[in-house]
Amino acid sequence: MTVRKERSPSKLTMMIVEDDDGLRPSLELSFSRRGHEVIGVASVAEAARHLQERSIALVLLDIQLPDGSGLDVLRAAQDVDPDTVVVMMTAFPEIKTAVRAMKDGASDFVVKPFDLEDLHLTVERAIEVRSLRRDVRRLERESRLGNQDSDILGESTPVKQLRDEIAKAATADTPVLVVGETGTGKELVADSIHALSNRFEAPLVKVNCSAFSEQLLESELFGHEKGAFTDAREARAGVFEMADGGTLFLDEISEMKPGLQAKLLRVVEGHPFRKVGGQREIWADVHVLAATNRDLKTMLESGALREDLYFRLNVFQIRVPPLRERGDDVVLLARFFLRRSASTLRKSPLELAGDAEETLVGYDWPGNIRELQNVMERAAILCDGGEVGVEHLPIEVQSSAFVQRQAPDKTTHMPSLDEIERRYVAHVTRRVNGNLSQAARILGIARNTLKAKLESDS
């Protein structure tokens, strides 16, 4: 997989495709003096090779070339990078061809013989159009990202660091390994990397490796030919083909069998692959992102993850922090999910009571963001007023936060389990203003059992 680096807009790389050995050097010198890096070639074949090997912002292109038409170069330039600007150079009899080139994507054309200053103005105008086009696309992308529910929310230090790492990962085609506990948002990281990359207009294809058997996963990745195995009734493209030019996200990579990991490694390293049952070699230009929620050291020691694949994927590792490390982000996310749930349920906006916020922050969140989202959806359903309180939260959230608040400091004794239970029963009963039936439902015990506990404590 070749990575072409974009040059600074102030000094573009341009290619002059002209077979006239007198005109071409003159144009090269003139544009070089304007501060551009200039490549001069005399054929379609040379032009196509340079387009594949480096990033070229602008092509000054003659229509008639010794080994073909300039239209072939125009198409090749657009295939490599749609942002490449092409200005055609044509003699008067070829104006119809130049007009056709404009319809096919050329920015402008000049008629030979031309005034050099007029040519410079035409090229500068084309560069400005290219810059404006890229700015519009960038603003559209930023606007789209700002409106996405999948955007990485939070103001804590770990999340700010995460966003910074995502932005850096999006600037290159280096494989990325995303690690983190279940429910932390690893898929959202993949969404953000793709959306911020230069591949954002190409496909983002996702595969959960744990959802397939070994044979079916190989077919899912690389495709298969008709009759390659039972039920292969027709040929099918794999996700590497589908994601060509874009991004491929392989979730739960550790669930892939070692034999298939070896085949994946070759493709990640830039080698071609074959469909299951196929003979033709297929090349794919894909940015590979992989994710796992398992401990990497354990995976390597057990052989669940091949070392060679791990080292190839782990060029750039992003750790998604668990929710318990994100401090007040819990409240920020809870409010976000609560507003969204209320809107879905067609309710008026809901607010979080202060004690509910305190309880949410005090909980450990083993299920991370996914668990918090579910808790807020449940609270929005249960809440009949405009404010979500502690009573609308699941019992395990309430009890965990309560127990944490009972933790002693260095000057007090450690309470026993019985003492913590008595305190919690009294706490819940007070919260419901002495309604024993409601308190019993929250505690998950019979009303008579609750009444007996209260009487024994009095």
Side-chain angles (χ1 to χ4, degrees), residues 298-342:
T298 302
M299 289 163 54
L300 291 169
E301 290 176 349
S302 66
L305 182 63
R306 291 174 57 111
E307 282 194 358
D308 47 7
L309 179 60
Y310 164 73
F311 288 125
R312 187 68 190 100
L313 294 175
N314 200 42
V315 176
F316 195 109
Q317 183 183 126
I318 293 179
R319 176 183 176 269
V320 187
L323 191 53
R324 62 181 174 274
E325 295 180 5
R326 295 177 53 176
D328 289 341
D329 282 353
V330 173
V331 174
L332 185 152
L333 288 164
R335 289 171 177 166
F336 170 78
F337 291 133
L338 195 59
R339 285 196 302 270
R340 192 169 67 178
S341 296

mmCIF file of all heavy atoms in Angstrom, residues 298-342:
data_model
loop_
_atom_site.group_PDB
_atom_site.id
_atom_site.type_symbol
_atom_site.label_atom_id
_atom_site.label_comp_id
_atom_site.label_asym_id
_atom_site.label_seq_id
_atom_site.Cartn_x
_atom_site.Cartn_y
_atom_site.Cartn_z
ATOM 1 N N THR A 298 -1.852 -11.420 27.481
ATOM 2 C CA THR A 298 -2.448 -12.751 27.590
ATOM 3 C C THR A 298 -2.695 -13.354 26.216
ATOM 4 O O THR A 298 -2.469 -14.550 25.997
ATOM 5 C CB THR A 298 -3.770 -12.673 28.375
ATOM 6 O OG1 THR A 298 -3.518 -12.108 29.665
ATOM 7 C CG2 THR A 298 -4.396 -14.045 28.532
ATOM 8 N N MET A 299 -3.158 -12.526 25.281
ATOM 9 C CA MET A 299 -3.422 -13.003 23.921
ATOM 10 C C MET A 299 -2.156 -13.523 23.259
ATOM 11 O O MET A 299 -2.159 -14.569 22.595
ATOM 12 C CB MET A 299 -4.025 -11.868 23.091
ATOM 13 C CG MET A 299 -5.447 -11.495 23.467
ATOM 14 S SD MET A 299 -5.907 -9.874 22.809
ATOM 15 C CE MET A 299 -5.541 -10.092 21.076
ATOM 16 N N LEU A 300 -1.060 -12.795 23.424
ATOM 17 C CA LEU A 300 0.209 -13.204 22.809
ATOM 18 C C LEU A 300 0.751 -14.468 23.462
ATOM 19 O O LEU A 300 1.236 -15.373 22.777
ATOM 20 C CB LEU A 300 1.222 -12.067 22.907
ATOM 21 C CG LEU A 300 0.918 -10.832 22.047
ATOM 22 C CD1 LEU A 300 1.817 -9.672 22.425
ATOM 23 C CD2 LEU A 300 1.075 -11.151 20.566
ATOM 24 N N GLU A 301 0.661 -14.536 24.789
ATOM 25 C CA GLU A 301 1.180 -15.705 25.501
ATOM 26 C C GLU A 301 0.388 -16.966 25.164
ATOM 27 O O GLU A 301 0.951 -18.060 25.071
ATOM 28 C CB GLU A 301 1.145 -15.453 27.011
ATOM 29 C CG GLU A 301 2.166 -14.424 27.480
ATOM 30 C CD GLU A 301 2.038 -14.114 28.960
ATOM 31 O OE1 GLU A 301 1.015 -14.542 29.571
ATOM 32 O OE2 GLU A 301 2.938 -13.447 29.518
ATOM 33 N N SER A 302 -0.918 -16.821 24.967
ATOM 34 C CA SER A 302 -1.768 -17.983 24.679
ATOM 35 C C SER A 302 -1.770 -18.349 23.196
ATOM 36 O O SER A 302 -2.268 -19.413 22.825
ATOM 37 C CB SER A 302 -3.200 -17.699 25.132
ATOM 38 O OG SER A 302 -3.768 -16.655 24.344
ATOM 39 N N GLY A 303 -1.229 -17.479 22.359
ATOM 40 C CA GLY A 303 -1.230 -17.735 20.922
ATOM 41 C C GLY A 303 -2.506 -17.300 20.234
ATOM 42 O O GLY A 303 -2.688 -17.558 19.041
ATOM 43 N N ALA A 304 -3.407 -16.645 20.967
ATOM 44 C CA ALA A 304 -4.642 -16.168 20.358
ATOM 45 C C ALA A 304 -4.363 -15.098 19.305
ATOM 46 O O ALA A 304 -5.134 -14.922 18.358
ATOM 47 C CB ALA A 304 -5.582 -15.615 21.427
ATOM 48 N N LEU A 305 -3.260 -14.379 19.482
ATOM 49 C CA LEU A 305 -2.856 -13.359 18.512
ATOM 50 C C LEU A 305 -1.413 -13.604 18.113
ATOM 51 O O LEU A 305 -0.527 -13.679 18.971
ATOM 52 C CB LEU A 305 -2.998 -11.958 19.116
ATOM 53 C CG LEU A 305 -2.656 -10.768 18.195
ATOM 54 C CD1 LEU A 305 -3.607 -10.735 16.999
ATOM 55 C CD2 LEU A 305 -2.752 -9.458 18.965
ATOM 56 N N ARG A 306 -1.180 -13.772 16.808
ATOM 57 C CA ARG A 306 0.180 -13.998 16.315
ATOM 58 C C ARG A 306 1.041 -12.772 16.576
ATOM 59 O O ARG A 306 0.606 -11.633 16.390
ATOM 60 C CB ARG A 306 0.150 -14.279 14.807
ATOM 61 C CG ARG A 306 -0.466 -15.606 14.406
ATOM 62 C CD ARG A 306 -0.556 -15.693 12.890
ATOM 63 N NE ARG A 306 0.759 -15.527 12.275
ATOM 64 C CZ ARG A 306 1.428 -16.492 11.652
ATOM 65 N NH1 ARG A 306 0.905 -17.710 11.579
ATOM 66 N NH2 ARG A 306 2.591 -16.251 11.097
ATOM 67 N N GLU A 307 2.295 -13.016 16.965
ATOM 68 C CA GLU A 307 3.191 -11.900 17.254
ATOM 69 C C GLU A 307 3.440 -11.047 16.023
ATOM 70 O O GLU A 307 3.473 -9.814 16.109
ATOM 71 C CB GLU A 307 4.529 -12.428 17.803
ATOM 72 C CG GLU A 307 4.477 -12.837 19.266
ATOM 73 C CD GLU A 307 5.873 -13.031 19.839
ATOM 74 O OE1 GLU A 307 6.851 -12.887 19.081
ATOM 75 O OE2 GLU A 307 5.980 -13.309 21.051
ATOM 76 N N ASP A 308 3.641 -11.701 14.852
ATOM 77 C CA ASP A 308 3.951 -10.918 13.656
ATOM 78 C C ASP A 308 2.780 -10.022 13.254
ATOM 79 O O ASP A 308 2.974 -8.859 12.869
ATOM 80 C CB ASP A 308 4.370 -11.821 12.488
ATOM 81 C CG ASP A 308 3.442 -13.004 12.283
ATOM 82 O OD1 ASP A 308 2.395 -13.075 12.957
ATOM 83 O OD2 ASP A 308 3.773 -13.879 11.451
ATOM 84 N N LEU A 309 1.546 -10.526 13.398
ATOM 85 C CA LEU A 309 0.387 -9.689 13.091
ATOM 86 C C LEU A 309 0.244 -8.581 14.137
ATOM 87 O O LEU A 309 -0.053 -7.427 13.797
ATOM 88 C CB LEU A 309 -0.881 -10.539 13.048
ATOM 89 C CG LEU A 309 -2.182 -9.772 12.768
ATOM 90 C CD1 LEU A 309 -2.126 -9.066 11.417
ATOM 91 C CD2 LEU A 309 -3.386 -10.707 12.832
ATOM 92 N N TYR A 310 0.475 -8.916 15.388
ATOM 93 C CA TYR A 310 0.389 -7.916 16.456
ATOM 94 C C TYR A 310 1.352 -6.760 16.205
ATOM 95 O O TYR A 310 0.963 -5.581 16.282
ATOM 96 C CB TYR A 310 0.693 -8.564 17.807
ATOM 97 C CG TYR A 310 1.006 -7.565 18.896
ATOM 98 C CD1 TYR A 310 0.014 -6.773 19.461
ATOM 99 C CD2 TYR A 310 2.324 -7.414 19.356
ATOM 100 C CE1 TYR A 310 0.309 -5.856 20.454
ATOM 101 C CE2 TYR A 310 2.622 -6.495 20.357
ATOM 102 C CZ TYR A 310 1.613 -5.714 20.897
ATOM 103 O OH TYR A 310 1.912 -4.796 21.871
ATOM 104 N N PHE A 311 2.604 -7.084 15.872
ATOM 105 C CA PHE A 311 3.591 -6.025 15.659
ATOM 106 C C PHE A 311 3.245 -5.183 14.434
ATOM 107 O O PHE A 311 3.537 -3.990 14.398
ATOM 108 C CB PHE A 311 4.995 -6.619 15.527
ATOM 109 C CG PHE A 311 5.552 -7.128 16.830
ATOM 110 C CD1 PHE A 311 5.994 -8.433 16.957
ATOM 111 C CD2 PHE A 311 5.619 -6.305 17.941
ATOM 112 C CE1 PHE A 311 6.499 -8.908 18.161
ATOM 113 C CE2 PHE A 311 6.121 -6.766 19.152
ATOM 114 C CZ PHE A 311 6.559 -8.071 19.256
ATOM 115 N N ARG A 312 2.602 -5.803 13.419
ATOM 116 C CA ARG A 312 2.224 -5.036 12.229
ATOM 117 C C ARG A 312 1.040 -4.119 12.524
ATOM 118 O O ARG A 312 0.981 -2.980 12.066
ATOM 119 C CB ARG A 312 1.868 -5.983 11.076
ATOM 120 C CG ARG A 312 1.623 -5.246 9.765
ATOM 121 C CD ARG A 312 2.924 -4.629 9.251
ATOM 122 N NE ARG A 312 2.699 -3.726 8.123
ATOM 123 C CZ ARG A 312 2.658 -2.407 8.220
ATOM 124 N NH1 ARG A 312 2.816 -1.816 9.404
ATOM 125 N NH2 ARG A 312 2.458 -1.663 7.162
ATOM 126 N N LEU A 313 0.077 -4.616 13.307
ATOM 127 C CA LEU A 313 -1.102 -3.808 13.624
ATOM 128 C C LEU A 313 -0.817 -2.772 14.689
ATOM 129 O O LEU A 313 -1.471 -1.721 14.749
ATOM 130 C CB LEU A 313 -2.251 -4.708 14.100
ATOM 131 C CG LEU A 313 -2.856 -5.671 13.085
ATOM 132 C CD1 LEU A 313 -3.891 -6.550 13.763
ATOM 133 C CD2 LEU A 313 -3.477 -4.914 11.919
ATOM 134 N N ASN A 314 0.161 -3.051 15.548
ATOM 135 C CA ASN A 314 0.414 -2.209 16.711
ATOM 136 C C ASN A 314 1.388 -1.071 16.417
ATOM 137 O O ASN A 314 1.983 -0.523 17.333
ATOM 138 C CB ASN A 314 0.946 -3.064 17.863
ATOM 139 C CG ASN A 314 0.765 -2.382 19.214
ATOM 140 O OD1 ASN A 314 -0.273 -1.798 19.472
ATOM 141 N ND2 ASN A 314 1.781 -2.460 20.052
ATOM 142 N N VAL A 315 1.523 -0.695 15.156
ATOM 143 C CA VAL A 315 2.372 0.453 14.807
ATOM 144 C C VAL A 315 1.861 1.699 15.524
ATOM 145 O O VAL A 315 2.624 2.495 16.057
ATOM 146 C CB VAL A 315 2.385 0.668 13.281
ATOM 147 C CG1 VAL A 315 3.186 1.925 12.931
ATOM 148 C CG2 VAL A 315 2.968 -0.547 12.578
ATOM 149 N N PHE A 316 0.541 1.846 15.551
ATOM 150 C CA PHE A 316 -0.079 2.984 16.237
ATOM 151 C C PHE A 316 -1.197 2.420 17.105
ATOM 152 O O PHE A 316 -2.222 1.973 16.597
ATOM 153 C CB PHE A 316 -0.634 3.985 15.228
ATOM 154 C CG PHE A 316 -0.963 5.336 15.818
ATOM 155 C CD1 PHE A 316 -0.186 6.441 15.513
ATOM 156 C CD2 PHE A 316 -2.040 5.500 16.669
ATOM 157 C CE1 PHE A 316 -0.481 7.686 16.060
ATOM 158 C CE2 PHE A 316 -2.346 6.730 17.225
ATOM 159 C CZ PHE A 316 -1.557 7.839 16.918
ATOM 160 N N GLN A 317 -1.000 2.429 18.424
ATOM 161 C CA GLN A 317 -2.010 1.896 19.336
ATOM 162 C C GLN A 317 -2.781 3.033 19.994
ATOM 163 O O GLN A 317 -2.216 4.022 20.432
ATOM 164 C CB GLN A 317 -1.372 1.024 20.430
ATOM 165 C CG GLN A 317 -2.403 0.382 21.356
ATOM 166 C CD GLN A 317 -1.780 -0.411 22.484
ATOM 167 O OE1 GLN A 317 -2.070 -0.199 23.653
ATOM 168 N NE2 GLN A 317 -0.888 -1.345 22.136
ATOM 169 N N ILE A 318 -4.092 2.869 20.046
ATOM 170 C CA ILE A 318 -4.958 3.829 20.730
ATOM 171 C C ILE A 318 -5.701 3.080 21.836
ATOM 172 O O ILE A 318 -6.408 2.110 21.569
ATOM 173 C CB ILE A 318 -5.972 4.470 19.762
ATOM 174 C CG1 ILE A 318 -5.248 5.347 18.730
ATOM 175 C CG2 ILE A 318 -6.996 5.293 20.524
ATOM 176 C CD1 ILE A 318 -6.171 6.003 17.733
ATOM 177 N N ARG A 319 -5.518 3.527 23.075
ATOM 178 C CA ARG A 319 -6.253 2.943 24.207
ATOM 179 C C ARG A 319 -7.449 3.824 24.523
ATOM 180 O O ARG A 319 -7.305 5.028 24.776
ATOM 181 C CB ARG A 319 -5.355 2.832 25.440
ATOM 182 C CG ARG A 319 -6.079 2.335 26.686
ATOM 183 C CD ARG A 319 -5.160 2.325 27.899
ATOM 184 N NE ARG A 319 -5.871 1.928 29.117
ATOM 185 C CZ ARG A 319 -6.473 2.780 29.939
ATOM 186 N NH1 ARG A 319 -6.442 4.084 29.679
ATOM 187 N NH2 ARG A 319 -7.092 2.340 31.025
ATOM 188 N N VAL A 320 -8.639 3.231 24.487
ATOM 189 C CA VAL A 320 -9.854 3.965 24.815
ATOM 190 C C VAL A 320 -10.081 3.846 26.318
ATOM 191 O O VAL A 320 -10.231 2.734 26.834
ATOM 192 C CB VAL A 320 -11.066 3.403 24.045
ATOM 193 C CG1 VAL A 320 -12.278 4.294 24.266
ATOM 194 C CG2 VAL A 320 -10.748 3.298 22.555
ATOM 195 N N PRO A 321 -10.089 4.956 27.043
ATOM 196 C CA PRO A 321 -10.178 4.876 28.516
ATOM 197 C C PRO A 321 -11.541 4.380 28.975
ATOM 198 O O PRO A 321 -12.569 4.719 28.370
ATOM 199 C CB PRO A 321 -9.954 6.325 28.963
ATOM 200 C CG PRO A 321 -10.391 7.147 27.790
ATOM 201 C CD PRO A 321 -10.037 6.353 26.574
ATOM 202 N N PRO A 322 -11.590 3.587 30.044
ATOM 203 C CA PRO A 322 -12.882 3.180 30.616
ATOM 204 C C PRO A 322 -13.578 4.376 31.238
ATOM 205 O O PRO A 322 -12.942 5.371 31.595
ATOM 206 C CB PRO A 322 -12.490 2.140 31.667
ATOM 207 C CG PRO A 322 -11.084 2.481 32.036
ATOM 208 C CD PRO A 322 -10.444 3.029 30.799
ATOM 209 N N LEU A 323 -14.879 4.261 31.370
ATOM 210 C CA LEU A 323 -15.671 5.387 31.860
ATOM 211 C C LEU A 323 -15.278 5.785 33.283
ATOM 212 O O LEU A 323 -15.342 6.966 33.638
ATOM 213 C CB LEU A 323 -17.161 5.024 31.795
ATOM 214 C CG LEU A 323 -18.167 6.152 32.022
ATOM 215 C CD1 LEU A 323 -17.896 7.338 31.114
ATOM 216 C CD2 LEU A 323 -19.577 5.635 31.827
ATOM 217 N N ARG A 324 -14.855 4.835 34.101
ATOM 218 C CA ARG A 324 -14.514 5.142 35.499
ATOM 219 C C ARG A 324 -13.291 6.056 35.597
ATOM 220 O O ARG A 324 -13.050 6.652 36.643
ATOM 221 C CB ARG A 324 -14.252 3.856 36.267
ATOM 222 C CG ARG A 324 -13.097 3.030 35.755
ATOM 223 C CD ARG A 324 -12.914 1.746 36.544
ATOM 224 N NE ARG A 324 -11.896 0.892 35.957
ATOM 225 C CZ ARG A 324 -12.137 0.027 34.984
ATOM 226 N NH1 ARG A 324 -13.374 -0.097 34.491
ATOM 227 N NH2 ARG A 324 -11.167 -0.711 34.478
ATOM 228 N N GLU A 325 -12.491 6.182 34.516
ATOM 229 C CA GLU A 325 -11.328 7.058 34.522
ATOM 230 C C GLU A 325 -11.637 8.460 33.985
ATOM 231 O O GLU A 325 -10.743 9.297 33.910
ATOM 232 C CB GLU A 325 -10.203 6.442 33.674
ATOM 233 C CG GLU A 325 -9.643 5.135 34.221
ATOM 234 C CD GLU A 325 -8.541 4.567 33.343
ATOM 235 O OE1 GLU A 325 -8.147 5.250 32.357
ATOM 236 O OE2 GLU A 325 -8.050 3.460 33.627
ATOM 237 N N ARG A 326 -12.910 8.696 33.638
ATOM 238 C CA ARG A 326 -13.230 9.930 32.923
ATOM 239 C C ARG A 326 -13.929 10.983 33.777
ATOM 240 O O ARG A 326 -14.371 12.020 33.250
ATOM 241 C CB ARG A 326 -14.065 9.597 31.688
ATOM 242 C CG ARG A 326 -13.290 8.782 30.666
ATOM 243 C CD ARG A 326 -14.121 8.380 29.472
ATOM 244 N NE ARG A 326 -14.774 9.517 28.850
ATOM 245 C CZ ARG A 326 -15.494 9.435 27.740
ATOM 246 N NH1 ARG A 326 -15.641 8.258 27.144
ATOM 247 N NH2 ARG A 326 -16.071 10.505 27.235
ATOM 248 N N GLY A 327 -14.007 10.753 35.093
ATOM 249 C CA GLY A 327 -14.508 11.779 36.003
ATOM 250 C C GLY A 327 -15.871 12.325 35.633
ATOM 251 O O GLY A 327 -16.842 11.585 35.425
ATOM 252 N N ASP A 328 -15.959 13.652 35.520
ATOM 253 C CA ASP A 328 -17.236 14.319 35.278
ATOM 254 C C ASP A 328 -17.784 14.101 33.881
ATOM 255 O O ASP A 328 -18.912 14.544 33.578
ATOM 256 C CB ASP A 328 -17.097 15.826 35.544
ATOM 257 C CG ASP A 328 -16.951 16.140 37.031
ATOM 258 O OD1 ASP A 328 -17.322 15.271 37.843
ATOM 259 O OD2 ASP A 328 -16.455 17.229 37.367
ATOM 260 N N ASP A 329 -17.016 13.434 33.015
ATOM 261 C CA ASP A 329 -17.565 13.081 31.701
ATOM 262 C C ASP A 329 -18.794 12.199 31.848
ATOM 263 O O ASP A 329 -19.649 12.158 30.949
ATOM 264 C CB ASP A 329 -16.523 12.333 30.853
ATOM 265 C CG ASP A 329 -15.499 13.259 30.237
ATOM 266 O OD1 ASP A 329 -15.672 14.488 30.347
ATOM 267 O OD2 ASP A 329 -14.523 12.760 29.644
ATOM 268 N N VAL A 330 -18.884 11.480 32.972
ATOM 269 C CA VAL A 330 -20.056 10.623 33.214
ATOM 270 C C VAL A 330 -21.324 11.463 33.183
ATOM 271 O O VAL A 330 -22.323 11.092 32.540
ATOM 272 C CB VAL A 330 -19.929 9.882 34.565
ATOM 273 C CG1 VAL A 330 -21.217 9.134 34.884
ATOM 274 C CG2 VAL A 330 -18.748 8.919 34.535
ATOM 275 N N VAL A 331 -21.313 12.591 33.847
ATOM 276 C CA VAL A 331 -22.486 13.457 33.895
ATOM 277 C C VAL A 331 -22.761 14.059 32.522
ATOM 278 O O VAL A 331 -23.911 14.116 32.062
ATOM 279 C CB VAL A 331 -22.296 14.570 34.944
ATOM 280 C CG1 VAL A 331 -23.455 15.561 34.907
ATOM 281 C CG2 VAL A 331 -22.166 13.958 36.339
ATOM 282 N N LEU A 332 -21.717 14.509 31.836
ATOM 283 C CA LEU A 332 -21.873 15.084 30.502
ATOM 284 C C LEU A 332 -22.524 14.073 29.546
ATOM 285 O O LEU A 332 -23.473 14.393 28.820
ATOM 286 C CB LEU A 332 -20.507 15.520 29.969
ATOM 287 C CG LEU A 332 -20.445 16.266 28.639
ATOM 288 C CD1 LEU A 332 -19.226 17.188 28.616
ATOM 289 C CD2 LEU A 332 -20.352 15.314 27.447
ATOM 290 N N LEU A 333 -22.023 12.836 29.561
ATOM 291 C CA LEU A 333 -22.574 11.794 28.700
ATOM 292 C C LEU A 333 -23.985 11.419 29.118
ATOM 293 O O LEU A 333 -24.853 11.181 28.274
ATOM 294 C CB LEU A 333 -21.668 10.561 28.736
ATOM 295 C CG LEU A 333 -20.328 10.702 28.020
ATOM 296 C CD1 LEU A 333 -19.380 9.585 28.444
ATOM 297 C CD2 LEU A 333 -20.514 10.683 26.511
ATOM 298 N N ALA A 334 -24.220 11.362 30.433
ATOM 299 C CA ALA A 334 -25.550 11.015 30.921
ATOM 300 C C ALA A 334 -26.580 12.038 30.442
ATOM 301 O O ALA A 334 -27.679 11.677 30.006
ATOM 302 C CB ALA A 334 -25.540 10.938 32.451
ATOM 303 N N ARG A 335 -26.248 13.315 30.514
ATOM 304 C CA ARG A 335 -27.168 14.353 30.039
ATOM 305 C C ARG A 335 -27.422 14.217 28.541
ATOM 306 O O ARG A 335 -28.551 14.386 28.067
ATOM 307 C CB ARG A 335 -26.577 15.730 30.344
ATOM 308 C CG ARG A 335 -26.567 16.090 31.826
ATOM 309 C CD ARG A 335 -25.782 17.361 32.066
ATOM 310 N NE ARG A 335 -25.806 17.776 33.466
ATOM 311 C CZ ARG A 335 -24.983 18.686 33.977
ATOM 312 N NH1 ARG A 335 -24.078 19.291 33.195
ATOM 313 N NH2 ARG A 335 -25.064 18.989 35.257
ATOM 314 N N PHE A 336 -26.356 13.906 27.793
ATOM 315 C CA PHE A 336 -26.495 13.741 26.343
ATOM 316 C C PHE A 336 -27.447 12.590 26.022
ATOM 317 O O PHE A 336 -28.386 12.733 25.224
ATOM 318 C CB PHE A 336 -25.116 13.485 25.724
ATOM 319 C CG PHE A 336 -25.169 13.076 24.276
ATOM 320 C CD1 PHE A 336 -25.379 14.004 23.279
ATOM 321 C CD2 PHE A 336 -25.000 11.743 23.920
ATOM 322 C CE1 PHE A 336 -25.438 13.625 21.945
ATOM 323 C CE2 PHE A 336 -25.039 11.354 22.592
ATOM 324 C CZ PHE A 336 -25.265 12.295 21.601
ATOM 325 N N PHE A 337 -27.236 11.428 26.647
ATOM 326 C CA PHE A 337 -28.097 10.271 26.395
ATOM 327 C C PHE A 337 -29.520 10.518 26.875
ATOM 328 O O PHE A 337 -30.486 10.056 26.254
ATOM 329 C CB PHE A 337 -27.524 9.023 27.066
ATOM 330 C CG PHE A 337 -26.246 8.525 26.456
ATOM 331 C CD1 PHE A 337 -25.152 8.183 27.253
ATOM 332 C CD2 PHE A 337 -26.121 8.395 25.078
ATOM 333 C CE1 PHE A 337 -23.976 7.720 26.692
ATOM 334 C CE2 PHE A 337 -24.944 7.940 24.508
ATOM 335 C CZ PHE A 337 -23.867 7.595 25.316
ATOM 336 N N LEU A 338 -29.648 11.252 27.978
ATOM 337 C CA LEU A 338 -30.977 11.549 28.512
ATOM 338 C C LEU A 338 -31.758 12.446 27.557
ATOM 339 O O LEU A 338 -32.949 12.213 27.292
ATOM 340 C CB LEU A 338 -30.833 12.206 29.881
ATOM 341 C CG LEU A 338 -32.084 12.283 30.758
ATOM 342 C CD1 LEU A 338 -32.626 10.890 31.027
ATOM 343 C CD2 LEU A 338 -31.750 12.984 32.073
ATOM 344 N N ARG A 339 -31.104 13.470 27.019
ATOM 345 C CA ARG A 339 -31.773 14.351 26.048
ATOM 346 C C ARG A 339 -32.191 13.571 24.808
ATOM 347 O O ARG A 339 -33.301 13.743 24.292
ATOM 348 C CB ARG A 339 -30.829 15.496 25.646
ATOM 349 C CG ARG A 339 -30.670 16.574 26.693
ATOM 350 C CD ARG A 339 -30.056 17.825 26.093
ATOM 351 N NE ARG A 339 -28.750 17.562 25.484
ATOM 352 C CZ ARG A 339 -27.599 17.640 26.108
ATOM 353 N NH1 ARG A 339 -27.576 17.973 27.396
ATOM 354 N NH2 ARG A 339 -26.467 17.398 25.485
ATOM 355 N N ARG A 340 -31.291 12.707 24.328
ATOM 356 C CA ARG A 340 -31.608 11.946 23.122
ATOM 357 C C ARG A 340 -32.753 10.972 23.365
ATOM 358 O O ARG A 340 -33.643 10.818 22.524
ATOM 359 C CB ARG A 340 -30.359 11.189 22.644
ATOM 360 C CG ARG A 340 -30.502 10.606 21.245
ATOM 361 C CD ARG A 340 -29.192 10.121 20.704
ATOM 362 N NE ARG A 340 -28.694 8.963 21.439
ATOM 363 C CZ ARG A 340 -27.575 8.318 21.126
ATOM 364 N NH1 ARG A 340 -26.830 8.749 20.121
ATOM 365 N NH2 ARG A 340 -27.179 7.267 21.822
ATOM 366 N N SER A 341 -32.749 10.308 24.534
ATOM 367 C CA SER A 341 -33.813 9.364 24.859
ATOM 368 C C SER A 341 -35.149 10.077 25.004
ATOM 369 O O SER A 341 -36.183 9.585 24.536
ATOM 370 C CB SER A 341 -33.475 8.604 26.142
ATOM 371 O OG SER A 341 -32.314 7.818 25.970
ATOM 372 N N ALA A 342 -35.143 11.239 25.657
ATOM 373 C CA ALA A 342 -36.382 12.008 25.810
ATOM 374 C C ALA A 342 -36.937 12.413 24.450
ATOM 375 O O ALA A 342 -38.152 12.351 24.215
ATOM 376 C CB ALA A 342 -36.129 13.240 26.686
#
